[in-house]
Amino acid sequence: MKLEIGNFYVKDICFGESNSYHNGLLTINKEVALRFIREDEHITEAELYIVKPGDMVRLVPVKEAIEPRVKVNGDPVFPGYTGDLKQAGNGKTHALKGTSVLVVGRHFGGFQDGLIDMGGEGAKYTYFSQLKNIVLVADTDEDFEKGEQQKKNKVLRQAGHKLAEYIGSIVKDLEPEEVETYELPPITKRSKKENDLPSMVYVMQPQSQMEELGYNDLVYGWDSNRMLPTLMHPNEVLDGAIISGSFMPCSSKWSTYDFQNCPTIKKLYKEHGKTINFLGVIMSNLNVALEQKERAALFVAQMAKSLGADGAIVAEEGYGNPDADFIACIVALEDAGVKTVGITNECTGRDGKSQPLVTLDEKANAIVSCGNVSELIELPPMEIVLGELESLGRDGLSGGWAGDEILGPSVREDGSIIMENNAMFCGDQVIGWSPKTMKEF
């Protein structure tokens, strides 16, 4: 597979009379874009905003982030989801860099939604405060789940993906400022130089725990709960084959933007042929029953060994129950002779003193921590709130609460907030670009 991503570096975004991109300025006709969004009869309210790094704006409940892109040949950016089922990872894709489409609930949030501060102290906790964001704030007629803590957010998430395609189409016929090429030779047809290097696989464990369909990450539009571990070309991940679901405390989530720009895959690509032989991605799954977890771990280890992997990186989306899958996978790989490093966040309690993962093993002796989901974050009021601030405590967001006998409510009368890191949108960035560092005391 050969994937060429043509990059257009967005320096600024504004609303204007027509859709255009020129010298780094992205202009969007707001009314036309809103008409496009409202073509879905289930959208009952919709508004678009532009927020930039440093803006004193708080967004909550944030549901999804997507990089605006377009396939030059007309294929869907998210095959099997926003269009026909096509092969991802081939051909030419144009991408608007330095920006994302953020989807925010106008009224209702849920367990899996989060918060972003574009400026102030809170901006340091999430990567998305560094981007120039097109924000869709909307509501739907999905009344059946508005009172539910766990929401599928189907209409809002799909609206965001379609809007990202719509905005990406602005640069479809333009010449990109830079082209990134991603290409790996077939595993059995690599040079002696490549084969003499340590061989590496990247094991991704996207969220797939929910047995009821509609919550999990999607692979080519297919619910990942139905999937067994499988070998994927890294280009597929970078090119829209996988989109984020609507399950998991928000700091642990991998947004669609994260899959599209996966830093770990890009780093492995950069080192291919120099320090490692990058074999590809083993896309695993997260299960509920212990037997299912063990079965998946065996599949992963067998696949890695059959590919000739000397080493592996394992990354899990989530924590708690998924820790069992994460550790089982590392142990199975180590037992198969594959040296393995794990990447995860941890749940050590508000005081940092609890066991970091639900299950542990002596063979899991090389784990990179991306932070504590239970760490308390206290932030002052923000000048502008997009969405509904009350949702942080009212709607069961994983890091917020309506009341605490010691800390009081998450949302105070003056608009200041206290919450767990759990509610910071994609804040732990297990996928490879966590801004956090470790300190020893």
Side-chain angles (χ1 to χ4, degrees), residues 21-196:
Y21 178 86
H22 183 67
N23 288 337
L25 176 62
L26 176 63
T27 303
I28 300 168
N29 185 311
K30 181 177 177 180
E31 293 309 314
V32 174
L34 283 171
R35 282 202 300 271
F36 172 78
I37 293 164
R38 291 170 180 151
E39 287 177 3
D40 188 330
E41 60 184 9
H42 297 290
I43 299 284
T44 57
E45 293 182 54
E47 187 56 87
L48 287 176
Y49 301 88
I50 295 167
V51 296
K52 303 171 187 177
D55 287 351
M56 299 307 285
V57 177
R58 177 166 291 155
L59 302 99
V60 62
V62 185
K63 299 174 181 293
E64 173 65 301
I66 314 107
E67 184 171 76
R69 291 186 175 188
V70 64
K71 294 293 290 185
V72 176
N73 67 356
D75 283 352
V77 175
F78 304 105
Y81 183 69
T82 56
D84 293 340
L85 189 59
K86 302 286 185 179
Q87 177 70 63
N90 270 324
K92 296 181 179 180
T93 296
H94 285 179
L96 288 160
K97 309 303 290 187
T99 185
S100 81
V101 170
L102 294 178
V103 182
V104 178
R106 174 63 188 89
H107 297 293
F108 297 97
F111 179 76
Q112 64 290 317
D113 300 334
L115 179 145
I116 296 172
D117 273 3
M118 292 301 299
E121 175 68 12
K124 71 183 183 183
Y125 289 99
T126 174
Y127 178 83
F128 294 94
S129 64
Q130 303 174 37
L131 302 178
K132 294 170 275 294
N133 297 300
I134 303 129
V135 183
L136 169 62
V137 181
D139 197 16
T140 76
D141 64 0
E142 296 167 303
D143 294 334
F144 62 92
E145 71 173 14
K146 284 181 179 176
E148 299 293 328
Q149 184 185 29
Q150 192 74 52
K151 296 175 175 63
K152 297 180 181 180
N153 287 322
K154 177 183 177 181
V155 173
L156 289 182
R157 289 190 296 124
Q158 193 161 58
H161 290 90
K162 290 181 177 179
L163 179 60
E165 281 188 331
Y166 172 83
I167 293 171
S169 68
I170 294 172
V171 296
K172 181 176 185 290
D173 299 320
L174 301 182
E175 193 67 27
E177 298 153 36
E178 175 194 60
V179 176
E180 297 177 42
T181 301
Y182 296 96
E183 186 175 17
L184 287 175
I187 293 172
T188 60
K189 299 184 184 302
R190 296 190 178 175
S191 67
K192 184 178 185 304
K193 177 186 174 183
E194 290 169 311
N195 286 327
D196 285 345

